[in-house]
Amino acid sequence: MTSVADHEGDLAQALDRLARGTKFAELFAESGAGQEVRLDSKSTTVTVEPRLRGFVFRAWTGSHWTEAAASEFAPRSIREAAERIEREASRTHGSAAPPGESATTRGSWTAKGKRSLRELGPEGTVALGKELLGYALGSPEIKEAQVALAWEETDRLYLNSAGARCLQQLERTRAVVVPMAIENGRAVADYWSQGGIGGLERAPDLGEATVRRTAASTRALLAAKAPPAGVTDVLLDPGVSGTFAHESFGHGTEADQFVRDRSYLKPILGQVVAPEFLTVVDDGTVPGGWGSGFCDDEGNPSHRTLLIDRGRFVGALHDRETAAILGAKPTGNTRRSNFMSRAFVRMTNTYVVPGDRTVDELIGDVKDGVLLERWMSGIEDPLGGQMQIKVRKGHRIEHGKVTDLVGPMALSGKVLDFLRAIRGVAQEPATEMEPGYCGKGHSDYLPVGSGGVHLLSRAIVGPA
Amino acid sequence: MTGAAETSEIAARVAEQVHLDVPWDLVGERTRRYEIHLQGTSVELERGPIDVEGYGLRLFRPRNGGVGIGFQASTDLSPEGFRAVLADAESATRHAEFPAKSIELPSGKPAPGGSEFLDRKLWEDPAEALRGYVHALVGGFRGKSGAAPTFGSVKAVLREQSMANSTGLRVAFNSTSVELELGVKAFGGPEGRPPGEFWVTRSERRLEPSRVPAEVEDWCRYAADVRRAVPPPSGELPVVLPPDVLSGILPNVLGFRFTGWARLRKLAPEGGTPLAAERVTIRDEGAYPWAPGSAPYDDEGSSAGTRLLIGQGKVGGLLYDSLYASAFSTTSTGNALRGRFGPMSALRFASRPNPSSTTLVLDPGDAGGLPELAEAAGDGVLVTQLGWAQPDPVSASFGGEIRIGYRIRSGKIAEPVRGGTVGGVVFAPPGTRSLLANVEALGSRVELSDALAAPPVLVRPLTVAGASS
């Protein structure tokens, strides 16, 4: 399949033409390839990633942005998309300059895996998958399991009329294991997942011990008790703590919500919102992070942005427009899900920085509470400041001891109350970015990483 | 052919290049997407058309006593592009395995009549239709002093879908779909409370600007109620769930567990098993009028049908596509659906089909509307919107944060509640508590909400986690 760079000449020519007829124009183009091998006890599926490619032009009409896109790089398609933009621009009569500064970054970057699944090929990947599946299905009471091993490689090209040119080639690899236990018509599942930009080295724990451990934890879920319902102490495991960072101070600090007057955080920028041992960061430069990249989709370099610095809310995530309106600088957080989707302010990798307590100390601080483990999802409420986090399982904590295993739970609460109630953040080894997908609302999903360390606070929990 | 305009029939064109001695099928798709994004009541961005054309080829080669299935999709419609797709799909067949002796693909039975999948006005002039809808939407807030939209988007997709296969099937149809997202903010007033938001998200087949004024009234009322809402109490309480909440719960679980896919993995319930209250009957209806999951054909070209999943509380049938039907020597129920989670979810051609539900229809009862269900509940909670129920399809557990709901006191809908969670399991082994087993009453009127047509239901009890334990 041809790369986007093969069509750069035609695309750049059309962009030049657009730039002459508008105040600013830019192009985003992408092409991708990849493969997923998925196995269970009954079938093996090899999916070659669809050969998809496309481009989108965006231009400033003098009053608003307009876009046109197509999935075909033929000169005719490129010309037609540019003409649509020109027609829209001529329909509107604004004369304002485009908001914010136009990026001028130029560069080419490549991130390839050291142990690439691509080099392993479908035969080798299926063999690896069967070995892992065998460990899961060989475990007592595991009646079914799924193993997925996937890689994808995307070329992303950004050009604009101010001279920016960013070409990124990113390889992502992900491994997932989902054992299922079935007993008397009841089914339960646990999961394990690792991945990042690179090859299998981004799933360092993939192997027999991990699969057997996940199978054992799945089996145990058959005997899990009902979780408590109500307000209680909550100890978040590192993955759940990463989800907290993402949902609380991730979405809430996407500055387009500030501009929309839709963020409860906007009036409290600069204020102390949490104990001084809490620091939360969004960082698109994390090596191998699932949400990392070299530059964003407005051509700004990736960046590490402090959101909460030792308890003080200090920063937000910006694109060119929000930065201009709010007197800030772009933070490298403008992302398109793909050429069909619009650019938004988005997170990259969001995480809680390690603190100074041991996990045992945090557990010892809990008289009656619950440990939340294995995140499933989260959702934010940028205006109301509520958050919901769902987990696959947990344990009761009673009088400083971890006791009964409990089933799926949802955590609910006001973020600012949750922050004020934080009693400790664990000092643990380097934060690992867990791979996930994030939507803006319920669409525009793209890869993001989140991570953290154990964190103790108080919230409402109930079964989910 | 069904629909208002001539389809692009990509599948038929690509099929002319397929010369294989094994079963194969093709889905072709041309989509044109138009979007308007709002910042407050101003247009922030107009997008479109965003043109995407592509197809997916699936083929089945005998392998190890079953079949090896190859699939590849592409937006490259050239002969060179097809050769690359074929090579990828052939390569995959050599490593894939599926336990079916042979595959029986649909041969093209006539589709049900009607064209309630396509908004003609939208199809004929999408940009203007979208602008007209946005005009109505913005106009709905004119003169409102305490409420306004913060942001929103209206996205329309015009889809031309075509299918072809090795049995000679050649079908095509057109459809439209619309997604609305809107943040409605309530603010101001003497009470000094923080603002409140009601977040509207929904998928439909058509634009209906005439509905907007009444809907805006409801949205503004919910947003205003958010401002004074407090978490509900904790406990095992009777809970009233309207269709908008049920649609985030039932399809995700039943559309997974009541399928041939689940049966093959021993995750599907046995026929005849009592899993729900006797008053519960649920069907899958592939051509339910104006439902976003409706179409004259499924994504393999089988004509849409109706399938009983739960009849008077007992498990009826399961849902099959051609592949899983072949594994069990039965026939497809017209439930092959394409689409995948994630960045490419808008492109149906880019993924292989799997059996799933189209539109679930829960039969109504005779309990009236929300006031009557509240009266039957006595002391409980009416949940108007959940944060994200996101059920786990394997365990069937569900739950989420109450975004807005109402306390029910002495049989009356009372003050608003917000925060806290409601949850449980959708169904469980016989004799065990679950949402479906504990349905105490069904409302009298069915409403369509995304992939579910249902009345409001009263469940007694569900676990509510709130402010006090």
Side-chain angles (χ1 to χ4, degrees):
Chain A
M1 178 173 203
T2 57
S3 161
V4 290
D6 299 333
H7 304 277
E8 187 172 343
D10 291 335
L11 294 163
Q13 199 175 7
L15 185 67
D16 281 347
R17 180 178 148 180
L18 272 181
R20 287 194 293 273
T22 62
K23 296 194 176 294
F24 173 80
E26 64 184 3
L27 162 93
F28 169 77
E30 67 172 344
S31 66
Q35 183 173 275
E36 181 190 67
V37 168
R38 189 175 283 269
L39 308 97
D40 59 32
S41 71
K42 303 296 181 190
S43 69
T44 300
T45 305
V46 179
T47 300
V48 189
E49 280 296 308
R51 292 171 170 269
L52 299 182
R53 58 190 190 177
F55 66 90
V56 55
F57 287 117
R58 181 171 82 152
W60 178 254
T61 64
S63 66
H64 63 271
W65 295 102
T66 184
E67 297 191 351
S71 61
E72 180 55 63
F73 284 131
R76 182 181 57 81
S77 301
I78 295 170
R79 191 179 63 248
E80 285 177 359
E83 285 170 357
R84 286 177 205 139
I85 297 265
E86 287 174 329
R87 277 199 300 276
E88 175 63 16
S90 65
R91 203 178 66 85
T92 52
H93 304 291
S95 58
E101 277 178 46
S102 302
T104 54
T105 312
R106 295 185 67 83
S108 296
W109 301 270
T110 301
K112 299 272 188 191
K114 291 177 186 151
R115 292 170 51 217
S116 178
L117 275 177
R118 171 180 232 165
E119 285 162 22
L120 206 53
E123 193 167 359
T125 309
V126 168
L128 173 60
K130 284 189 171 172
E131 182 187 331
L132 298 167
L133 184 68
Y135 299 139
L137 294 174
S139 303
E141 294 174 58
I142 297 302
K143 302 288 171 47
E144 186 53 83
Q146 288 190 326
V147 173
L149 302 166
W151 64 270
E152 64 174 24
E153 190 176 277
T154 56
D155 290 3
R156 300 170 75 90
L157 173 68
Y158 174 83
L159 304 173
N160 73 19
S161 54
R165 179 189 181 276
C166 304
L167 177 63
Q168 305 179 76
Q169 295 179 302
L170 305 175
E171 179 179 346
R172 282 188 172 84
T173 300
R174 188 175 186 183
V176 183
V177 178
V178 185
M180 300 174 204
I182 306 166
E183 185 181 75
N184 300 326
R186 189 164 160 255
V188 292
D190 200 355
Y191 79 93
W192 170 91
S193 170
Q194 277 182 339
I197 290 183
L200 273 178
E201 71 274 12
R202 297 298 173 201
D205 299 330
L206 183 66
E208 178 177 356
T210 294
V211 175
R212 290 199 188 282
R213 194 167 52 245
T214 312
S217 66
T218 299
R219 188 171 64 247
L221 282 174
L222 286 169
K225 295 185 174 174
V231 179
T232 189
D233 282 356
V234 289
L235 179 59
L236 315 187
D237 84 358
V240 182
S241 160
T243 309
F244 151 72
H246 178 102
E247 300 301 342
S248 61
F249 263 75
H251 284 294
T253 59
E254 291 167 344
D256 51 349
Q257 312 289 17
F258 286 25
V259 171
R260 294 165 173 171
D261 218 4
R262 193 186 173 234
S263 175
Y264 71 101
L265 294 172
K266 184 180 172 185
I268 59 171
L269 185 62
Q271 293 182 17
V272 171
V273 295
E276 66 175 7
F277 44 78
L278 182 73
T279 294
V280 177
V281 171
D282 182 86
D283 189 352
T285 70
V286 173
W290 186 247
S292 293
F294 297 97
C295 63
D296 73 2
D297 295 331
E298 281 183 338
N300 289 301
S302 294
H303 191 254
R304 181 178 191 269
T305 306
L306 270 171
L307 303 175
I308 300 179
D309 183 14
R310 289 165 292 174
R312 187 178 295 277
F313 171 33
V314 294
L317 307 176
H318 289 284
D319 62 12
R320 60 180 291 168
E321 187 163 353
T322 65
I325 293 169
L326 299 167
K329 291 279 182 196
T331 54
N333 287 86
T334 309
R335 301 181 68 188
R336 288 182 190 271
S337 176
N338 52 54
F339 71 93
M340 295 170 286
S341 302
R342 66 166 288 187
F344 280 113
V345 184
R346 307 297 297 270
M347 281 171 270
T348 56
N349 306 291
T350 316
Y351 58 91
V352 175
V353 172
D356 59 359
R357 305 282 302 279
T358 68
V359 177
D360 285 344
E361 283 172 353
L362 295 177
I363 293 168
D365 272 3
V366 178
K367 187 176 172 191
D368 182 16
V370 63
L371 168 64
L372 286 90
E373 302 164 273
R374 210 79 90 212
W375 69 276
M376 286 169 64
S377 67
I379 190 165
E380 86 296 358
D381 171 9
L383 182 65
Q386 296 270 146
M387 66 174 172
Q388 169 191 311
I389 297 173
K390 292 183 70 169
V391 300
R392 182 76 67 170
K393 62 179 184 176
H395 281 83
R396 293 298 298 261
I397 304 176
E398 295 166 293
H399 302 292
K401 305 259 185 243
V402 175
T403 59
D404 295 333
L405 176 69
V406 295
M409 284 172 279
L411 176 154
S412 156
K414 282 188 176 293
V415 171
L416 293 179
D417 291 347
F418 186 90
L419 289 169
R420 280 191 283 268
I422 291 177
R423 306 213 302 270
V425 176
Q427 168 68 57
E428 290 179 275
T431 303
E432 179 188 290
M433 288 304 128
E434 296 205 19
Y437 286 91
C438 165
K440 189 88 168 181
H442 287 293
S443 58
D444 294 301
Y445 285 89
L446 48 69
V448 293
S450 61
V453 290
H454 283 85
L455 181 154
L456 176 61
S457 186
R458 193 165 175 82
I460 296 171
V461 295
Chain B
M1 184 185 295
T2 305
E6 190 176 333
T7 61
S8 63
E9 303 212 36
I10 290 172
R13 279 192 279 140
V14 176
E16 291 171 11
Q17 302 173 67
V18 183
H19 306 288
L20 293 168
D21 57 352
V22 294
W24 56 267
D25 67 5
L26 274 162
V27 61
E29 188 177 61
R30 179 182 178 219
T31 58
R32 286 173 291 146
R33 174 183 283 258
Y34 294 79
E35 301 176 359
I36 296 179
H37 295 254
L38 294 173
Q39 183 120 291
T41 53
S42 303
V43 171
E44 179 193 16
L45 169 68
E46 281 202 31
R47 311 185 73 226
I50 297 157
D51 283 341
V52 179
E53 290 186 318
Y55 65 95
L57 169 68
R58 184 173 60 156
L59 53 98
F60 308 85
R61 287 214 173 271
R63 179 172 154 76
N64 296 343
V67 290
I69 304 166
F71 176 80
Q72 177 58 301
S74 178
T75 51
D76 184 349
L77 302 181
S78 70
E80 299 76 31
F82 176 75
R83 282 195 287 277
V85 163
L86 184 58
D88 284 346
E90 287 281 18
S91 165
T93 63
R94 291 193 285 275
H95 308 286
E97 294 175 30
F98 186 82
K101 298 283 179 208
S102 62
I103 302 296
E104 191 163 328
L105 294 169
S107 55
K109 281 186 190 165
S115 57
E116 292 156 321
F117 327 103
L118 187 137
D119 180 334
R120 284 172 193 275
K121 194 174 169 192
L122 177 61
W123 186 272
E124 282 158 13
D125 193 346
E128 272 313 303
L130 221 51
R131 286 183 191 125
Y133 184 82
V134 168
H135 181 74
L137 200 60
V138 170
F141 287 92
R142 204 162 289 134
K144 296 210 172 293
S145 57
T150 49
F151 80 106
S153 64
V154 188
K155 303 174 181 175
V157 177
L158 283 54
R159 174 173 278 112
E160 301 165 46
Q161 183 169 334
S162 53
M163 284 158 290
N165 68 27
S166 50
T167 68
L169 172 100
R170 302 288 185 273
V171 294
F173 65 96
N174 298 338
S175 62
T176 51
S177 57
V178 179
E179 288 173 34
L180 170 67
E181 181 176 19
L182 192 70
V184 178
K185 178 177 173 180
F187 52 88
E191 71 274 28
R193 289 195 178 103
E197 181 184 73
F198 184 70
W199 187 17
V200 183
T201 59
R202 67 178 186 217
S203 300
E204 299 184 317
R205 281 271 183 226
R206 57 180 167 169
L207 292 168
E208 293 185 279
S210 61
R211 277 172 46 195
V212 167
E215 289 175 328
V216 168
E217 291 297 325
D218 285 344
W219 301 337
C220 291
R221 179 164 49 86
Y222 294 142
D225 285 345
V226 162
R227 303 182 70 194
R228 60 191 182 98
V230 296
S234 298
E236 305 298 313
L237 298 174
V239 175
V240 176
L241 303 173
D244 283 348
V245 172
L246 291 168
S247 66
I249 300 172
L250 296 181
N252 292 43
V253 173
L254 302 185
F256 178 82
R257 294 286 296 272
F258 280 63
T259 64
W261 189 99
R263 181 182 172 191
L264 190 64
R265 278 92 182 169
K266 302 198 177 350
L267 286 166
E270 293 286 332
T273 307
L275 279 188
E278 265 191 42
R279 56 181 59 87
V280 172
T281 291
I282 300 176
R283 296 178 179 79
D284 181 85
E285 288 196 19
Y288 193 89
W290 298 114
S294 287
Y297 303 97
D298 74 357
D299 288 338
E300 286 177 331
S302 293
S303 56
T306 297
R307 184 80 164 169
L308 180 72
L309 300 184
I310 297 176
Q312 295 178 316
K314 292 184 178 170
V315 176
L318 302 178
L319 306 173
Y320 294 94
D321 63 357
S322 294
L323 183 65
Y324 282 90
S326 299
F328 291 104
S329 302
T330 183
T331 53
S332 169
T333 55
N335 285 88
L337 269 81
R338 297 175 196 259
R340 50 203 251 156
F341 175 80
M344 295 299 173
S345 57
L347 305 179
R348 298 171 82 94
F349 72 88
S351 62
R352 63 184 75 207
N354 262 312
S356 188
S357 56
T358 57
T359 303
L360 295 181
V361 182
L362 171 60
D363 281 0
D366 58 4
L370 292 177
E372 290 78 14
L373 288 166
E375 191 176 346
D379 185 19
V381 174
L382 159 65
V383 180
T384 303
Q385 188 180 55
L386 273 182
W388 191 10
Q390 200 211 15
D392 171 22
V394 174
S395 67
S397 65
F398 74 95
E401 183 180 61
I402 300 170
R403 281 295 166 90
I404 182 69
Y406 297 86
R407 273 287 269 146
I408 300 171
R409 294 182 188 273
S410 304
K412 303 285 183 200
I413 298 172
E415 75 275 14
V417 295
R418 170 181 168 82
T421 69
V422 60
V425 291
V426 174
F427 68 85
T432 317
R433 197 176 99 176
S434 71
L435 187 157
L436 289 179
N438 289 58
V439 169
E440 185 178 288
L442 292 153
S444 309
R445 185 165 158 257
V446 168
E447 283 183 31
L448 177 65
S449 174
D450 206 341
L452 177 76
V457 302
L458 166 60
V459 184
R460 188 189 303 268
L462 285 175
T463 304
V464 177
S468 52
S469 19

